Amino acid sequence: MSNRTLTFSIFRYNPATPEIKPRMQDFQLDETADMSVFIALNRLREEQDPSLMFDFVCRAAVCGSCAMLINGRPRLACKTLIKDLPEHITLMPLPVFKLIGDLSVDTGTWFHDLNIRTETWIHTDKNFDPKAVEERMDNPTALEIYEAERCIECGCCIAACATANIRADFIGAAGLNRIARFLIDPRDQRTPAQIFEVVGTDEGIFGCIGLMACDDLCPLELPLQSQLAFVRRKMGLAALKSKRN
Amino acid sequence: MKWQEVHITDVLVIGAGLAGERVAIEAAMHGHETTILSLVPPRRSHSTAAQGGMQASLANVAMGYGDNADIHFEDTVKGSDWGAEQDVVRRFVNLAPIAVRQLAHWGVPWTRVVPGKKTLPSGTEIEDLAEKEGLIAQRAFGGTAKWRTCYAADGTGHVLQYAMDSVVVKLGVTVHDRMEAVSLIHDGENCYGCIARCLRSGRLRAYLAKATVIATGGYGRIYGTSTNAVINEGTGMAIALDTGVVPLGNMEAVQFHPTGIVPTNILVTEGCRGDGGYLLDKNLHRFMPDYEPAKKELASRDVVSRRMTYHIRQGFGVESPYGPHLWLDIRHLGPEHIHTNLREVASICKNFLDIDPVDSLIPVVPTQHYSMGGVRTNKDGDAYGLKGLFAAGESACWDLHGFNRLGGNSLAETVVMGMVVGMRVAEYVREAPLNFTPRLVSDAAAKQEARIEALLSNKQGEEYVYELRRRMEETLLENVGIFRDHAKLEHAVEVLKDLHARSYRIRLRSNGLGPNPEVGAALRLPGMLKLALCIAYGALKRTESRGSHYREDYPQRDDTNWLKRTLAYWPEGAELPELKYEPVTIIELPPGERGYGETVRSTGVTMGE
């Protein structure tokens, strides 16, 4: 492997010192074998600037904490290997989400709000009976729900989305994928018409202008394009049906 | 402390992983105002990383027919090497099936039974019956007599956490994320809540509650090399220990998982071995059957980890720049199986090793994984020492796992214990008054303010937080790992004592303002070192081998002297924990053989000789 000296240009801003304007700061670091952006950022913090703010939790691409713009593209820093990047690496916080400081953004509040707006929990009038055996489900259905459930709410699709960048209330691919997950689930008793009430708007399914950066940039490679099409079809049918009634 | 910076609630839960959220749900369902504090948004909790599954004796699959709570009980007690509380185990195994089914009701897409004849990798033919079609499926895990581990593909923790959090959202439970508890508010008898530092602003806040629940997970990060998330630093245990009156139980019981990948230590699930994966050495020889002819790769985690380390010591490890490792081979399971039931493993291999396990071997080495020790509670989850304080999940020592936890029993514990403790808390809060003196609150806040102020004004000396921390991590890994002995443990205690003293003399390298991460690290470090000392000192004093605690100088389990639990207290100003002991509750299964080849150690033939 090459003995590259890397230059990281990192966005800096601390809300506790508003008099210091947001700026880019350069750091140098020698590349080592198997280095990821996760390893690099931790080394920068421990060896060069202990005030550097960024988020990691699992460092294994399952929690979604470390999404950031790496050379302009939303990616998970933990699974971005330095060997795939040029010597000069620019790190910026995700757009759309509120900035906490440096590379750290508040995805939690955004997704919490989304989950409340789209009521992403099982709606059922059945009560849980602790004495009963579980209700049956066929395995292909379980796997289909799991496919849509795999989203880790990292926010890459939202940051990449043209609509989400210009309108704060757009639920984006993550939101529509979440809707798809509940449309598939036979335990959720909401009808498509009821869900239409929630997402049949410009903040929902009709806000999508089809650029599909979400699908290109999802770090988990979720089939967002087909999920969007699925929700759109369901919502279209629900709209037609409600007209007929 | 300004009073607008005080938040009052009935139930305060510190930690928003599966255990914390399950407690909160139960309390909220009983009508109590409930607030959860979390370092990160709940759906980022370390619980989401669990791939494998959750044990419950549903007996739905062919290899699980005939399973019941009694067999689950026996597996768990044997797995614990008789360190577990048997009344706790009994309650747990009885409730686990209910917990799994309730999660299905809340939306977890458990993998389901598909009937038909199947051939296992071993060549055995089995048949799943049509009458079981669509029920929750189960897979094999180490140390279990039956296939009992319920799973959702291999993202079980993720789907459990998302379903759990959806119930939290639905119930309108208050969640304050990016909030780190830094001390408990107490008067030596009662707990009244905690002081927390906001990780958005760096400011302190007081949380007052009738009941406070610690559910902050494990402390793997004090070892540095760990499968744990980077937020697993044991802060919940540390603030409980700091009270001086709440003990931690069995801190020397630290589990190493056989299959952390090299070099990142990310875990690949035990499901790999459960589904038929093998371990190979540098000669591509499958060595586990040599040591464990009956259970092979599916002996308990402590046993497999020790066999692997021993085998590497004998010179059979594969050399690499990161030290010797072994191979995990799942190639024979085939692409279809790997890309559905072990897909997470396939993507970890692709992302972090740039290999496809369908045609490549996976480099693995035993890695710190789980803390059996924690805040000592009774069987309802009440912490010892303070009324109104409870603990649940990995941060608690309930004590379900004794000296070794079985795979699939930790997810199950989070949910079952969350249920049990939630009910207990709901009942407690109904009777308890919200009773505190303003003085107590402002004193507790002032103490933490003073710590931060001292750091910011750079008065405390010349130590660098990340340097001390690295020394702690190395000391634990080298001396308090899989194989322990008197000399190494004594050395570790001395080094850690020194680091602990120095951790009060940290000088910040940065300005420390706002949500500055260096301040967080500096506030956390003394507590982490106390935990490290509880582990090392407890291990030094326990002169026997039991479960994950293996002493090369005392290789046998010693039930005559050591069938008891360590309780570690930290009196104010002390430089070492004060150790006390209590008996283990044995109600059904008297101590005996665990059923692994390693029990030869009781006849005097030991490993490592």
Side-chain angles (χ1 to χ4, degrees):
Chain A
M1 74 159 278
S2 67
N3 297 316
R4 295 192 300 174
T5 300
L6 307 163
T7 302
F8 287 87
S9 295
I10 300 181
F11 177 88
R12 302 303 307 269
Y13 181 69
N14 184 348
T17 52
E19 67 282 4
I20 304 173
K21 296 285 172 233
R23 67 202 186 284
M24 300 301 288
Q25 186 180 351
D26 281 2
F27 296 90
Q28 313 281 320
L29 198 62
D30 288 335
E31 183 173 6
T32 57
D34 296 311
M35 188 183 242
S36 62
V37 177
F38 164 71
I39 292 169
L41 278 171
N42 279 284
R43 276 191 51 195
L44 288 176
R45 177 149 80 191
E46 291 178 20
E47 295 165 15
Q48 299 188 32
D49 187 344
S51 71
L52 195 57
M53 284 177 264
F54 51 77
D55 293 323
F56 287 95
V57 174
C58 73
R59 56 79 177 91
V62 293
C63 81
S65 302
C66 64
M68 58 184 69
L69 294 184
I70 300 173
N71 287 349
R73 293 167 86 83
R75 306 177 68 162
L76 293 180
C78 68
K79 63 173 273 195
T80 301
L81 301 177
I82 298 285
K83 71 175 170 62
D84 300 330
L85 298 174
E87 278 172 20
H88 191 202
I89 298 159
T90 308
L91 302 179
M92 304 267 284
L94 285 189
V96 181
F97 304 99
K98 188 170 182 280
L99 181 69
I100 287 172
D102 297 344
L103 300 173
S104 179
V105 296
D106 188 355
T107 50
T109 302
W110 195 95
F111 277 98
H112 184 74
D113 177 57
L114 169 82
N115 288 324
I116 289 174
R117 283 165 65 204
T118 52
E119 299 190 10
T120 44
W121 52 84
I122 298 283
H123 289 57
T124 177
D125 53 21
K126 286 181 193 158
N127 286 322
F128 174 65
D129 176 1
K131 291 193 196 79
V133 167
E134 67 271 20
E135 265 184 50
R136 288 170 201 257
M137 177 184 281
D138 69 277
N139 198 44
T141 306
L143 287 175
E144 207 185 336
I145 298 168
Y146 178 73
E147 275 309 305
E149 175 92 18
R150 286 171 56 235
C151 168
I152 55 175
E153 300 189 348
C154 63
C156 285
C157 63
I158 306 300
C161 172
T163 309
N165 271 278
I166 53 175
R167 59 179 308 160
D169 53 6
F170 182 51
I171 66 173
L176 292 164
N177 175 67
R178 188 68 65 199
I179 292 290
R181 181 244 175 274
F182 284 90
L183 277 170
I184 298 164
D185 197 327
R187 292 167 294 196
D188 194 294
Q189 294 172 336
R190 280 178 289 186
T191 61
Q194 283 170 307
I195 290 182
F196 185 85
E197 291 298 316
V198 182
V199 295
T201 62
D202 283 354
E203 297 94 67
I205 190 70
F206 302 122
C208 170
I209 54 172
L211 298 179
M212 289 301 147
C214 54
D215 193 87
D216 291 343
L217 290 163
C218 173
L220 266 68
E221 295 170 26
L222 294 180
L224 293 174
Q225 187 165 0
S226 41
Q227 298 289 29
L228 285 169
F230 168 73
V231 176
R232 197 182 277 268
R233 202 162 59 241
K234 280 273 192 185
M235 292 300 97
L237 283 172
L240 279 176
K241 247 190 192 166
S242 69
K243 258 191 197 155
R244 254 184 258 135
N245 290 341
Chain B
M1 166 136 291
K2 297 187 193 77
W3 287 97
Q4 65 265 32
E5 288 165 342
V6 175
H7 179 97
I8 299 178
T9 183
D10 289 331
V11 178
L12 176 68
V13 181
I14 305 171
L18 284 169
E21 288 209 322
R22 187 62 189 82
V23 172
I25 286 169
E26 198 67 31
M29 278 177 162
H30 282 78
H32 303 301
E33 200 176 316
T34 304
T35 301
I36 305 180
L37 305 187
S38 178
L39 293 174
V40 293
R43 294 179 185 203
R44 307 261 193 257
S45 301
H46 186 46
S47 297
T48 59
Q51 298 156 19
M54 171 165 172
Q55 281 203 46
S57 56
L58 304 179
N60 286 342
V61 293
M63 295 297 282
Y65 293 158
D67 196 15
N68 58 44
D70 294 340
I71 304 176
H72 191 184
F73 175 91
E74 198 171 306
D75 287 344
T76 302
V77 173
K78 282 184 182 171
S80 81
D81 219 349
W82 277 271
E85 290 286 273
Q86 294 191 7
D87 51 352
V88 165
V89 181
R90 174 48 68 186
R91 194 174 194 181
F92 163 79
V93 296
N94 289 348
L95 287 173
I98 296 176
V100 165
R101 289 169 175 147
Q102 185 174 44
L103 287 161
H105 180 74
W106 285 341
V108 169
W110 292 114
T111 298
R112 302 290 177 141
V113 175
V114 178
K117 284 204 169 89
K118 287 147 205 178
T119 310
L120 302 181
S122 60
T124 315
E125 276 223 345
I126 55 167
E127 182 175 6
D128 278 305
L129 300 176
E131 66 194 66
K132 299 284 189 182
E133 181 168 10
L135 295 175
I136 295 169
Q138 294 160 298
R139 59 166 42 152
F141 257 51
T144 67
K146 299 280 183 185
W147 288 23
R148 188 185 298 127
T149 305
C150 310
Y151 61 104
D154 67 354
T156 313
H158 172 88
V159 297
L160 257 50
Q161 180 81 55
Y162 274 56
M164 192 74 83
D165 191 56
S166 76
V167 181
V168 166
V169 173
K170 175 187 165 192
L171 291 173
V173 171
T174 303
V175 179
H176 290 182
D177 67 7
R178 292 185 185 261
M179 203 45 102
E180 177 168 19
V182 291
S183 75
L184 291 174
I185 304 169
H186 72 99
D187 57 12
E189 281 178 21
N190 289 285
C191 181
Y192 303 99
C194 77
I195 303 293
R197 175 171 177 260
C198 173
L199 302 179
R200 287 183 165 84
S201 66
R203 296 182 67 85
L204 291 179
R205 245 177 154 194
Y207 286 84
L208 297 173
K210 295 176 178 177
T212 304
V213 185
I214 292 175
T216 54
Y219 53 63
R221 282 289 142 188
I222 71 175
Y223 274 80
T225 303
S226 168
T227 65
N228 283 194
V230 297
I231 55 170
N232 289 66
E233 301 179 305
T235 44
M237 296 174 197
I239 60 173
L241 186 65
D242 262 342
T243 62
V245 292
V246 177
L248 303 181
N250 279 350
M251 289 298 280
E252 62 271 33
V254 179
Q255 181 171 76
F256 281 70
H257 194 291
T259 56
I261 61 171
V262 179
T264 50
N265 306 109
I266 295 168
L267 176 72
V268 294
T269 175
E270 187 158 326
C272 290
R273 284 170 291 134
D275 291 0
Y278 309 138
L279 293 166
L280 302 177
D281 64 18
K282 70 172 182 186
N283 304 319
L284 302 188
H285 169 64
R286 185 182 174 193
F287 58 91
M288 276 307 293
D290 303 344
Y291 297 114
E292 301 293 330
K295 292 275 186 178
K296 305 181 180 73
E297 280 82 358
L298 287 176
S300 267
R301 285 178 179 176
D302 58 324
V303 176
V304 179
S305 293
R306 260 193 310 277
R307 295 303 192 186
M308 289 169 74
T309 308
Y310 175 73
H311 202 64
I312 289 173
R313 278 188 180 183
Q314 299 302 104
F316 293 108
V318 184
E319 292 307 324
S320 88
Y322 304 96
H325 64 76
L326 295 160
W327 297 115
L328 174 64
D329 186 1
I330 60 171
R331 296 172 299 181
H332 52 285
L333 302 181
E336 195 194 324
H337 183 96
I338 292 173
H339 287 134
T340 52
N341 289 343
L342 296 171
R343 184 171 55 183
E344 193 63 41
V345 173
S347 53
I348 287 170
C349 289
K350 178 168 160 276
N351 294 336
F352 301 98
L353 298 169
D354 213 10
I355 61 164
D356 184 349
V358 170
D359 49 37
S360 298
L361 297 170
I362 309 170
V364 292
V365 71
T367 305
Q368 194 287 342
H369 180 59
Y370 189 85
S371 34
M372 272 75 72
V375 177
R376 178 69 186 131
T377 73
N378 67 14
K379 72 179 186 344
D380 297 316
D382 295 75
Y384 283 21
L386 282 181
K387 280 201 281 289
L389 182 66
F390 305 82
E394 189 175 348
S395 59
C397 177
W398 191 22
D399 172 351
L400 174 67
H401 310 300
F403 276 76
N404 172 63
R405 172 178 69 77
L406 296 183
N409 261 356
S410 71
L411 280 185
E413 183 192 38
T414 61
V415 186
V416 172
M417 193 180 184
M419 230 158 108
V420 168
V421 178
M423 277 187 256
R424 164 70 187 134
V425 165
E427 174 196 282
Y428 176 85
V429 167
R430 207 162 29 237
E431 306 296 329
L434 181 67
N435 195 3
F436 63 91
T437 60
R439 184 63 191 269
L440 197 66
V441 182
S442 51
D443 281 358
K447 203 168 167 187
Q448 299 307 316
E449 268 164 6
R451 288 181 70 198
I452 295 175
E453 188 43 47
L455 283 169
L456 291 185
S457 57
N458 268 350
K459 283 179 198 148
Q460 290 188 308
E462 286 303 313
E463 302 292 351
Y464 184 44
V465 61
Y466 292 113
E467 169 59 22
L468 296 187
R469 190 179 159 141
R470 196 160 36 242
R471 295 276 318 272
M472 169 186 73
E473 294 170 1
E474 287 163 5
T475 306
L476 284 170
L477 270 178
E478 283 163 20
N479 303 291
V480 201
I482 293 178
F483 289 104
R484 303 167 172 185
D485 65 35
H486 181 86
K488 284 200 276 189
L489 291 170
E490 199 170 44
H491 171 70
V493 168
E494 286 312 309
V495 174
L496 292 168
K497 255 165 71 178
D498 173 56
L499 293 172
H500 178 239
R502 289 162 63 189
S503 73
Y504 295 96
R505 301 195 296 269
I506 285 167
R507 186 172 71 81
L508 296 185
R509 264 39 168 187
S510 63
N511 66 13
L513 298 175
N516 181 297
E518 194 186 13
V519 174
L523 291 174
R524 231 170 272 137
L525 187 63
M528 294 170 83
L529 281 157
K530 283 183 188 171
L531 299 183
L533 275 162
C534 288
I535 297 166
Y537 193 55
L540 176 65
K541 293 294 170 188
R542 184 175 284 271
T543 49
E544 65 153 355
S545 291
R546 185 180 297 272
S548 66
H549 171 70
Y550 192 87
R551 289 279 301 251
E552 290 185 275
D553 43 356
Y554 297 93
Q556 299 185 24
R557 196 177 79 203
D558 177 1
D559 289 330
T560 315
N561 296 303
W562 287 105
L563 192 57
K564 55 192 183 187
R565 180 173 303 105
T566 309
L567 299 178
Y569 291 81
W570 201 286
E572 193 169 345
E575 56 171 11
L576 272 180
E578 190 180 309
L579 302 183
K580 295 180 183 171
Y581 296 92
E582 66 173 1
V584 175
T585 309
I586 308 278
I587 51 170
E588 295 184 43
L589 196 63
E593 300 285 307
R594 292 175 81 191
Y596 307 121
E598 211 182 30
T599 44
V600 291
R601 76 188 185 211
S602 58
T603 61
V605 182
T606 61
M607 294 181 32
E609 280 182 352

